[in-house]
Amino acid sequence: MSSRRITTVAGMVGALVVLLATAAGAEDQGPASSKGGKAVDEAPSGVELTTTLPEKISVENSSEETAITATVKNDGSEGSGEIRLLVVGFDGLTVNDVPGCSAIAEGDLPEGANSGFACAIEGLAAGAVESYDVSASFDLGKTGKICLPVQSGDGGKTYWQQGPVPFGTSNPSPSAPATPLLLGTDNQPVGPGGEELPRTGVSSGALGAAGLSLMAIGAAGYWWSSRRRIVD
């Protein structure tokens, strides 16, 4: 086989591997969900902004690294104008990077948050969607929460806020390379006699239905009321 043909075949195989890896990663996260989301301030007429997070993420047990897709969309009939999406981590979930977005200074983070990024969006047309790849780490010994507020461009209003909503698991995999976590789910240890993972979510009695809403760390809107203007 000629070197040219070998190179061509190798390139095709490499592309196929990348394609399969991308498809697998998307499949691992499952369908998108707006669980824990609520409208806060009234949006401009004809604008309907919401966000979604994956139903499932997978945390590598060795590195504690994970990837999350954060999506904002406009289901309204008019363009949104200038807005910004914030991606904020709490407790054991730390947001390490969101390409194309700016890190929020530590002093500007809301109480209880450990990290955050602000993503400026010039405008979302009616029906448009914008997605961001979030690199994060998750300490499996702690509760981990994430929050996605959508604000006006100057931070004066919060049109929508998803979370802080927890990730947790009811099916731990202590011997596996990775632990799957489900959005809005309390962590449960391995059954009697089995190896037990650290808890990553609060108990159902402490969280309950409130944990599936914005009551996990306070009512929507109020959470951002003291720190509306973070970074432009």
Side-chain angles (χ1 to χ4, degrees), residues 61 64 138-144 167-169 172-174 179 181 186-190 195-202:
N61 290 337
E64 296 187 337
F138 200 108
D139 183 345
L140 293 172
K142 299 179 181 179
T143 298
F167 277 101
T169 177
S173 305
T179 297
L181 303 181
D186 296 337
N187 185 57
Q188 298 293 329
V190 175
E195 185 178 354
E196 181 171 322
L197 280 178
R199 291 180 177 272
T200 62
V202 296

Side-chain angles (χ1 to χ4, degrees), residues 58-210:
S58 183
V59 180
E60 293 184 12
N61 290 337
S62 57
S63 66
E64 296 187 337
E65 293 181 351
T66 187
I68 303 171
T69 301
T71 299
V72 57
K73 57 182 178 178
N74 179 11
D75 290 323
S77 58
E78 301 291 336
S80 68
E82 186 178 350
I83 58 174
R84 63 182 183 179
L85 170 71
L86 305 181
V87 183
V88 184
F90 290 85
D91 303 327
L93 193 158
T94 302
V95 180
N96 297 323
D97 188 30
V98 185
C101 304
S102 301
I104 300 173
E106 183 177 352
D108 292 327
L109 289 170
E111 184 178 357
N114 59 45
S115 54
F117 284 75
C119 308
I121 302 173
E122 292 185 0
L124 278 181
V129 174
E130 191 78 29
S131 294
Y132 294 88
D133 295 324
V134 180
S135 297
S137 56
F138 200 108
D139 183 345
L140 293 172
K142 299 179 181 179
T143 298
K145 302 184 184 74
I146 190 169
C147 189
L148 302 182
V150 181
Q151 300 182 329
S152 56
D154 62 2
K157 291 185 177 182
T158 298
Y159 299 131
W160 169 270
Q161 182 172 306
Q162 184 175 8
V165 61
F167 277 101
T169 177
S170 57
N171 184 27
S173 305
S175 300
T179 297
L181 303 181
L182 301 179
L183 185 68
T185 301
D186 296 337
N187 185 57
Q188 298 293 329
V190 175
E195 185 178 354
E196 181 171 322
L197 280 178
R199 291 180 177 272
T200 62
V202 296
S203 66
S204 57
L207 188 61

Side-chain angles (χ1 to χ4, degrees), residues 6-84:
I6 292 174
T7 302
T8 302
V9 172
M12 293 174 62
V13 171
L16 179 59
V17 169
V18 172
L19 179 61
L20 291 176
T22 302
E27 183 179 354
D28 287 345
Q29 293 196 346
S33 172
S34 59
K35 181 178 293 184
K38 182 179 180 180
V40 186
D41 296 322
E42 185 176 359
S45 178
V47 177
E48 186 178 344
L49 296 167
T50 58
T51 60
T52 59
L53 288 163
E55 282 280 359
K56 180 173 68 175
I57 63 174
S58 183
V59 180
E60 293 184 12
N61 290 337
S62 57
S63 66
E64 296 187 337
E65 293 181 351
T66 187
I68 303 171
T69 301
T71 299
V72 57
K73 57 182 178 178
N74 179 11
D75 290 323
S77 58
E78 301 291 336
S80 68
E82 186 178 350
I83 58 174
R84 63 182 183 179

